[in-house]
Amino acid sequence: MTKEILLEINNLVTVFRSDDDVVKAVNDVSFTLNRGQTVGIVGESGSGKSVTSLSIMRLIPNPPGKITAGQIIYHSATKGPIDICKLSEAEMRSIRGNEIAMIFQEPMTSLNPVFTCGNQVMEAILLHQQVDKKQAKQQTIDLFKKVQLPRPEIIFDSYPHQLSGGQKQRVMIAMAMSCNPDVLIADEPTTALDVTVQATIIELMKELQHENNMGIIFITHDLGVIADLADKVVVMYKGKIVEQGDVQSIFTNPKHPYTKGLLACRPPLNKRLKWLPTVADFMIKNEAGDLVENEKSVYDITEKLIITKQQREADHKTLYAQAPILQIKNLSTSFPVNKGLFGKPTSFVHAVDNVSFEVYPGETLGLVGESGCGKTTLGRTILRLIEPSSGQIIYNGRDITHIGKREMRALRKDLQIIFQDPYSALNPHITIGNAILEPMQVHRILADDKARKKRVIELLERVSMSESQFNRYPHEFSGGQRQRICIARALALQPKFIICDESVSALDVSVQAQVLNLLNELKREFNFTYIFISHDLSVVKFMSDKMIVMNKGKIEEMGEADSIYAHPQSDYTRRLIDAIPKGITSTTNN
């Protein structure tokens, strides 16, 4: 690999000012990127990794943000070294998207919903290249083929909302690659995507890098992803770089406790733990306020956390000796996709197709599969949020498939759901305390609002929140905190059965570990039964007793979670397992 330097970041400082405070979002950051090299920037939300990338692109909103110190030296093939911080906006526009391109985290908000995908990529080509519209269109279709979009001519005329998450991300990659940039910045480009789509996108970026010999800055909170892609790793925490080095050294011999914590947060694939280590288990602040390694590190007690095969077999013998709490018999849910002349459906998509299984009291049943496999539709059908087309839903020995709305409403306090997106699940105009209290009022839990408020405060404290946050609104909380609020709201009705629908998929790995631990603690404390839905097989394996793998509305295979992982029976399951980022064996997993 050539050592030709493309980008030098020297002592970069980016601040955000408010009326009474100045926050250094990027604080004295320095690293280099070579041609043909991939640098992975890793850290939790708020670590400064995305602000670093936006600083390089000169996309910091001013006010309130501003680059106040340091250099960003871009070594242009045609103009030589350029300090990006000193360029005018007009000069920066000639570089941005042309020589330095960026793939943003959320393609749906990055793509304009009122223009077709093809026109948006064409616009970038017409802006930076001396070609006519016909040539630009052909280049766009060629790019869509290169990023392996199906039916590129149809995608060209499609709007963003008509594409899946993975397809939209490929459109963004095509747009970023449209001018053959020297530097490609990818900001969380695979977060919340299926592991199979994630693996494909990572492989695609490797191929494009090899073809163009470009440098890539890949930003993520997941060190497992970085291991599959990066040459060098930069670990950020609260605006500062706490550690950087080649990927092998960082993974096999991490020096900083924060890095050790990030490596330990992912559910291990080779063993089963009682709970997941978190960043907080690895580091504490000393009297000077510096981060140091926690002497009571989980390294010393990891062996005590492992659940043995004998323990698991004994637990399952007791668990499955009970009568099932839920029986699903030949359940199908279909949606009309085409209608005839008089509005009568002529064809259907079978989102759930003749599915049968049982769930036992105190069990966690995992539902895993790619987007569109039917797992979320199945979960919502069980709760009658979507009406089934045929089959039976039997809860506690009672067939609830066709009971009336009033009966179903009364039953809902026993059957709760935690949705994927905690922000859209909470009303932005209602304080979080009232959001938890409201369902208690509807179902007349406790005698009056005074007693209910006391119960809400107890629930907030149980999910590591506080009484002082009762009157705050959802936008004042982080994603992990909002998910804890949604969990508290689900607990308010003292349910027996909870469906967790992709409830950790968009969270940082460290926050994800905290939420998974919390769900398991609550299960033990209140004897809940869970259906845990996710596209991430490693998370489902950690959480579940049994696991169902779904594909195109059908059950691909079903059985004990560890057995399915160790001995998958179908090619589809093997593909899901192969797509999980394996990382490099580190000291945290020994």
Side-chain angles (χ1 to χ4, degrees), residues 161-421:
H161 73 270
Q162 295 175 296
L163 307 185
S164 70
Q167 288 173 335
K168 285 195 285 279
Q169 198 60 281
R170 288 165 197 251
V171 171
M172 288 296 297
I173 293 173
M175 189 184 298
M177 294 302 302
S178 61
C179 296
N180 295 321
D182 283 337
V183 178
L184 178 65
I185 301 171
D187 185 8
E188 300 270 14
T190 59
T191 297
L193 294 180
D194 295 341
V195 285
T196 48
V197 177
Q198 174 179 273
T200 306
I201 294 226
I202 288 172
E203 192 56 40
L204 171 62
M205 291 180 69
K206 286 179 182 176
E207 289 172 12
L208 294 172
Q209 180 180 41
H210 182 73
E211 285 179 24
N212 297 283
N213 198 25
M214 65 183 174
I216 294 177
I217 296 175
F218 193 96
I219 297 167
T220 183
H221 60 258
D222 190 342
L223 273 161
V225 173
I226 286 295
D228 289 350
L229 183 67
D231 304 297
K232 184 167 80 173
V233 184
V234 173
V235 183
M236 291 189 69
Y237 178 73
K238 293 189 175 178
K240 293 189 173 185
I241 293 176
V242 295
E243 185 166 5
Q244 63 176 303
D246 67 87
V247 68
Q248 187 74 27
S249 299
I250 293 292
F251 272 77
T252 56
N253 190 25
K255 303 296 186 187
H256 197 277
Y258 181 70
T259 311
K260 295 174 183 178
L262 285 179
L263 282 165
C265 286
R266 286 283 297 179
L269 296 168
N270 59 342
K271 56 195 170 190
R272 179 170 287 273
L273 302 182
K274 295 173 186 173
W275 53 267
L276 288 172
T278 65
V279 168
D281 293 316
F282 285 81
M283 61 185 197
I284 55 174
K285 284 189 176 180
N286 61 17
E287 291 180 2
D290 298 321
L291 289 172
V292 295
E293 188 156 357
N294 184 357
E295 291 181 4
K296 297 177 181 177
S297 168
V298 292
Y299 285 126
D300 302 328
I301 56 173
T302 297
E303 291 305 314
K304 296 177 185 176
L305 299 181
I306 296 174
I307 300 173
T308 66
K309 188 176 178 182
Q310 291 77 14
Q311 284 176 304
R312 192 159 169 82
E313 286 174 352
D315 290 343
H316 282 183
K317 188 175 181 180
T318 305
L319 182 67
Y320 296 117
Q322 307 171 91
I325 190 173
L326 180 73
Q327 295 168 284
I328 302 300
K329 297 184 176 181
N330 307 111
L331 192 66
S332 294
T333 306
S334 302
F335 300 106
V337 288
N338 289 307
K339 294 183 179 180
L341 184 61
F342 299 105
K344 186 176 180 180
T346 57
S347 61
F348 295 84
V349 59
H350 302 291
V352 178
D353 193 357
N354 197 32
V355 165
S356 299
F357 60 89
E358 295 176 338
V359 187
Y360 291 80
E363 180 184 17
T364 298
L365 176 73
L367 279 182
V368 69
E370 298 171 286
S371 295
C373 72
K375 57 189 187 296
T376 291
T377 303
L378 174 57
R380 295 187 182 203
T381 302
I382 290 168
L383 296 182
R384 293 274 308 280
L385 297 174
I386 297 172
E387 292 299 334
S389 306
S390 61
Q392 289 178 288
I393 305 163
I394 300 170
Y395 174 72
N396 262 343
R398 179 188 179 193
D399 191 339
I400 65 169
T401 319
H402 302 294
I403 63 174
K405 288 184 179 179
R406 181 177 293 181
E407 289 177 284
M408 194 64 215
R409 184 177 179 181
L411 193 60
R412 288 205 192 284
K413 73 183 187 68
D414 282 353
L415 305 169
Q416 285 291 299
I417 185 167
I418 302 168
F419 293 101
Q420 176 175 358
D421 182 358

